[in-house]
Amino acid sequence: MSPMTSASKPSSSSASPLTKPVSGEKADRVFRAVAYACGILILVVLAAVALFLLFRAWPLIGGDQQTNREVIANFTGGRATNFWGYVGPLLFGTVLVAALALVIAFFVSIGIALFISHYAPKRLAAALSYIVDILAAIPSVIYGLWGGLVLVPAIYPFWNWVAGHLGWIPLFAGPAANPPRTVATVALVLAIMILPIITSIARDIFLQTPKLLEEAALGLGATKWEMIRLSVLPFARSGIISASMLGLGRALGETMAVLMILSPGLKYSFHLLQASQNQTIAANIAAQYPEADSIGVSVLIGTGLVLFVITFLVNLLARRITEKASK
């Protein structure tokens, strides 16, 4: 009987570890449920925001159109009497300012991120990373104050030089406004604002490049720049696009910095150095809201709904591009 008892012992001992996978399965189910709940919560919040904007803008959509036209004419000084004639130039100015800011910030951000991740000594890279993270956390109103009080008076000679030497290009047609409360100045401030965001994300992605890819490129005789071009940038392509779209999203919705710097206008104009040409949706809402009545608030929220849709479409397009780049 002893051999049988000894043979039965392993079966009892082998059954004891089965309790661990059971507890692991419970934890996995709990984690899956929490993850699903968080994902659904994001959709609920997004739907709630969309429904709120649609509900508050409903007097603009289904209300008395004559009253709406009077309110819009009051907002624009008679230059527009219907909603699309009002929101069209605002949407144009929003996209123009944000796109210029992204163009200015993108290449500088990638250069700084590459310097921190692959060229700078460790101590300098740590200090620069710390500075970049601090800049990303500065409130937009601080950038607006700096732009309005420091940059606007200081940058006029440069814009005047650009208008004098590059005025044959329609974008830089003069004369340059003095003070330069123009789209060019606002785009520069927004570029400085989104630059730390793009830099911080791009730096982290560059540092995640597998060392084997870098060492393989260097082992085959590639220079450091060739190694970066062949291994680091392709690996980080989708992350770079995501970082850029995050910066673009902040530029599209920026309010205080634009409100404090830009001299507003209601035109479809590409004259970057002239004042009173363009305005953004967010800054217009902040400027008009204090004096708006209930119908005026509905009109302003309607413009906010348009900005919400545009931002959603931009992020959706960025997601599609990111998925293609990661394949």
Side-chain angles (χ1 to χ4, degrees):
M1 296 296 291
S2 60
M4 295 179 63
T5 56
S6 63
S8 63
K9 288 181 179 179
S11 62
S12 61
S13 63
S14 62
S16 60
L18 294 178
T19 57
K20 295 181 179 180
V22 172
S23 62
E25 290 177 0
K26 290 181 179 178
D28 184 66
R29 287 196 296 268
V30 172
F31 179 78
R32 186 185 299 113
V34 173
Y36 271 100
C38 293
I40 293 173
L41 179 62
I42 293 175
L43 296 177
V44 170
V45 171
L46 183 66
V49 172
L51 289 175
F52 166 78
L53 292 174
L54 186 61
F55 175 77
R56 293 299 303 272
W58 186 253
L60 171 69
I61 301 172
D64 184 6
Q65 298 303 313
Q66 180 60 33
T67 304
N68 293 333
R69 285 192 290 269
E70 292 176 358
V71 171
I72 293 172
N74 184 45
F75 279 161
T76 62
R79 286 172 291 179
T81 56
N82 63 82
F83 178 73
W84 292 111
Y86 176 48
V87 76
L90 297 177
L91 181 60
F92 175 83
T94 302
V95 175
L96 177 64
V97 171
L100 286 174
L102 181 62
V103 170
I104 296 172
F106 177 78
F107 297 101
V108 180
S109 300
I110 299 303
I112 296 173
L114 285 174
F115 177 75
I116 293 174
S117 61
H118 287 82
Y119 288 96
K122 289 186 177 180
R123 291 186 178 180
L124 179 59
L128 290 176
S129 297
Y130 182 71
I131 293 172
V132 167
D133 293 338
I134 289 178
L135 291 175
I138 295 177
S140 61
V141 67
I142 304 300
Y143 286 104
L145 286 171
W146 171 79
L149 299 177
V150 177
L151 184 63
V152 167
I155 204 171
Y156 170 71
F158 175 72
W159 291 142
N160 190 41
W161 179 89
V162 171
H165 292 79
L166 300 176
W168 52 273
I169 302 175
L171 290 176
F172 306 121
N178 187 19
R181 298 184 175 275
T182 60
V183 169
T185 305
V186 171
L188 184 59
V189 173
L190 293 186
I192 297 172
M193 185 184 303
I194 67 176
L195 187 146
I197 300 175
I198 303 175
T199 301
S200 180
I201 298 175
R203 174 204 62 203
D204 293 339
I205 296 171
F206 292 156
L207 291 173
Q208 293 176 7
T209 305
K211 294 299 180 183
L212 289 177
L213 291 178
E214 299 181 0
E215 293 172 357
L218 294 173
L220 291 174
T223 63
K224 195 163 189 176
W225 162 243
E226 290 173 337
M227 177 271 292
I228 291 173
R229 183 171 58 87
L230 296 174
S231 61
V232 177
L233 294 180
F235 174 81
R237 184 182 297 118
S238 61
I240 292 173
I241 296 173
S242 299
S244 302
M245 293 302 104
L246 183 62
L248 178 62
R250 180 172 183 182
L252 284 171
E254 179 52 42
T255 303
M256 293 308 300
V258 179
L259 183 64
M260 298 169 74
I261 297 173
L262 183 63
S263 176
L266 202 67
K267 301 178 181 178
Y268 293 96
S269 174
F270 286 100
H271 295 157
L272 306 182
L273 303 181
Q274 298 179 13
S276 302
Q277 299 295 309
N278 306 104
Q279 175 68 303
T280 67
I281 291 177
N284 180 72
I285 293 174
Q288 301 284 1
Y289 184 83
E291 299 180 359
D293 56 10
S294 59
I295 302 299
V297 171
S298 298
V299 172
L300 295 177
I301 292 179
T303 62
L305 179 61
V306 173
L307 179 61
F308 176 82
V309 172
I310 294 300
T311 305
F312 181 80
L313 293 177
V314 167
N315 283 276
L316 181 63
L317 178 61
R319 183 64 179 174
R320 296 291 180 87
I321 296 174
T322 303
E323 290 176 353
K324 292 182 179 180
S326 61
K327 292 181 181 180

